[in-house]
Amino acid sequence: MGSYINQQITRDLESFTAIQQRTRIIASQTGKKPAIIYAFSRPEQLDLIVVPPSGIPIHKAIPAARRETLMQVAASFRSELLNPRNINTESYLPASQQLYQWIIAPLEADLKAQGIDTLVFSMDAGLRLLPLAALHDGSQFLVEKYSIGLIPSVNLTDTSYASVKNAEVLAMGASQFTNNPPLLAVPAELNAIASEWKGESFLNQTFTLNNLRSQRKDRPYGIIHLATHGYFQPGAPSNSYIQLSDSRLTLDRVRQLGWNQPPKVELLVLSACKTAVGDDDTELGFAGLAVQAGVKSVLASLWNVSDEGTLGLMAEFYDQLKVAPIKAEALRQAQIAMIEGQVRIENGRLILSNSNKELKLPPELAKLTNENLSHPYYWSGFTMIGSPW
């Protein structure tokens, strides 16, 4: 898939007028103005190319961000974010701000001049697993300024737009596993979705491959939510899988489920993924997930977030999805609500930004009296892949 995607990116750049036409149509349909950003990490410099909806593409070369230096800072950023000892600190900020200065700051004047509010990134090897939402400009996170999406290439992305505000949701998941740690908040996660959206939900024993296949065959669900362990691992797509109650659904078999048949699945949500770092195939498997699954968009996590953090983000995301113009904006609003402490744990309950909404936590998590979910460990790993629209 790697060389295929790199060829696609080359073809993207050759046909930027066609890309601009597509992004202008989306802007008129959604009221959101996107730019496609290509980042190429070369031994001697970082090359950034921005394709705005109109005008010529913008190229910036960043000699300070040589590949070796850039990868070191990216690795440091990630390890600071994921170190549990740092959860009440801002130890990630130096690396986060340095990456912002290299990847975003050189483009900012042009983005502002064009009125861009949605950044769609097509990243080079080594950069696809960067939690872009948590890049920091010194006063705020990138996600506080822009909706963000990740694509393998424009030509591999379904850029047609359809609102999901009235979609039906097939929500399935598992809280107990034989060979994996339990996901204690999954029953509450499925309940939160089922209480707000039309559709069906299935937990544990009913979360089987046959049921997943037959449910979608019987009803054209626009959104499929799988609350379970997902693993993106090096090597062939068959090494990466989503854990069902009765089997592993490997990535090479997902496409056989026919989710790309009309009406196509608009959004696949994988709420508990773990993605291996440092392997190009795994990175591409993650960035190309929507293509692989035959769906328009995928919301997935770069790392396993705590049960309560995942529940907070997912409950808030589905709340925002009812009103946001595009999927990436719903994710952005959910992430902002966590940054601002509007989504938090208080006295054994999960509080959402809508002051009328709170969720009772399962007994195992109810002992968490108060927990602040504002650290980017909790929210920045969640990424909109494929179409951000």
Side-chain angles (χ1 to χ4, degrees):
M1 195 174 170
S3 61
Y4 176 57
I5 285 184
N6 290 334
Q7 287 163 16
Q8 287 284 342
I9 290 170
T10 309
R11 206 173 306 155
D12 277 0
L13 295 176
E14 286 168 1
S15 60
F16 75 87
T17 48
I19 292 172
Q20 290 181 311
Q21 201 172 352
R22 285 158 84 174
T23 53
R24 282 198 297 272
I25 290 167
I26 287 161
S28 69
Q29 290 173 318
T30 63
K32 300 283 287 171
K33 199 171 180 187
I36 315 293
I37 299 176
Y38 296 89
F40 299 101
S41 174
R42 308 199 190 287
E44 70 285 1
Q45 66 186 34
L46 172 67
D47 282 305
L48 301 169
I49 297 170
V50 182
V51 182
S54 56
I56 57 168
I58 299 145
H59 171 246
K60 303 280 183 186
I62 320 297
R66 291 168 50 246
R67 183 170 178 83
E68 191 183 344
T69 314
L70 178 60
M71 294 306 153
Q72 283 170 351
V73 177
S76 160
F77 177 40
R78 196 184 161 98
S79 69
E80 291 297 330
L81 273 186
L82 295 183
N83 186 336
R85 288 199 301 269
N86 295 339
I87 211 74
N88 294 313
T89 76
E90 293 182 333
S91 64
Y92 58 85
L93 271 181
S96 171
Q97 291 176 354
Q98 180 61 79
L99 290 167
Y100 191 100
Q101 288 309 310
W102 286 338
I103 299 170
I104 306 299
L107 311 173
E108 207 133 38
D110 293 302
L111 296 174
K112 277 196 183 114
Q114 288 257 4
I116 302 298
D117 56 21
T118 305
L119 306 181
V120 186
F121 289 90
S122 180
M123 305 294 268
D124 205 351
L127 298 174
R128 296 183 188 107
L129 303 185
L130 208 53
L132 293 160
L135 298 189
H136 199 277
D137 70 357
S139 60
Q140 59 186 161
F141 292 106
L142 183 64
V143 77
E144 294 180 84
K145 301 200 266 191
Y146 301 96
S147 299
I148 300 165
L150 178 70
I151 58 171
S153 91
V154 177
N155 281 327
L156 288 172
T157 303
D158 181 344
T159 55
S160 61
Y161 172 73
S163 169
V164 293
K165 290 174 186 173
N166 298 312
E168 293 196 346
V169 182
L170 173 60
M172 303 181 101
S175 55
Q176 301 296 332
F177 303 87
T178 316
N179 300 314
N180 280 297
L183 293 171
L184 301 173
V186 163
E189 189 179 316
L190 297 186
N191 285 340
I193 297 166
S195 66
E196 296 288 328
W197 291 73
K198 287 188 300 229
E200 295 287 340
S201 67
F202 298 91
L203 179 66
N204 290 330
Q205 290 85 347
T206 52
F207 178 31
T208 63
L209 183 56
N210 277 344
N211 200 18
L212 177 60
R213 192 182 279 124
S214 64
Q215 287 296 327
R216 165 68 175 145
K217 219 173 192 172
D218 294 345
R219 259 167 98 173
Y221 293 99
I223 300 173
I224 295 177
H225 181 99
L226 303 180
T228 184
H229 291 287
Y231 292 96
F232 294 92
Q233 301 184 138
S238 56
N239 291 352
S240 299
Y241 64 91
I242 298 160
Q243 183 67 55
L244 311 184
S245 72
D246 63 337
S247 61
R248 290 178 172 182
L249 175 59
T250 56
L251 279 195
D252 57 322
R253 285 164 56 218
V254 173
R255 205 168 177 87
Q256 295 166 16
L257 294 171
W259 292 345
N260 58 337
Q261 302 299 321
K264 189 174 189 172
V265 171
E266 276 286 329
L267 175 63
L268 169 63
V269 179
L270 301 172
S271 67
C273 299
K274 193 171 183 187
T275 309
V277 186
D279 177 81
D280 289 355
D281 288 337
T282 313
E283 280 196 23
L284 277 167
F286 187 82
L289 195 51
V291 181
Q292 186 84 20
V295 301
K296 202 179 279 185
S297 314
V298 179
L299 173 56
S301 57
L302 291 165
W303 53 78
N304 264 343
V305 176
S306 67
D307 289 330
E308 62 277 14
T310 301
L311 178 61
L313 185 123
M314 287 296 158
E316 184 70 24
F317 170 72
Y318 276 99
D319 224 27
Q320 297 290 348
L321 200 56
K322 287 270 187 198
V323 292
I326 61 171
K327 300 159 194 159
E329 179 64 13
L331 176 59
R332 172 177 177 258
Q333 291 300 335
Q335 290 172 316
I336 290 172
M338 293 180 83
I339 293 166
E340 294 179 346
Q342 295 175 314
V343 176
R344 62 194 184 279
I345 307 289
E346 231 171 59
N347 304 323
R349 301 181 84 78
L350 174 70
I351 312 296
L352 299 181
S353 70
N354 178 336
S355 53
N356 303 320
K357 290 197 180 161
E358 51 178 64
L359 300 176
K360 195 173 172 193
L361 292 174
E364 302 90 338
L365 297 177
K367 61 181 182 292
L368 297 165
T369 46
N370 295 303
E371 189 166 350
N372 181 334
L373 303 174
S374 64
H375 189 280
Y377 155 75
Y378 291 108
W379 51 263
S380 68
F382 290 96
T383 307
M384 193 62 68
I385 307 159
S387 170
W389 306 287

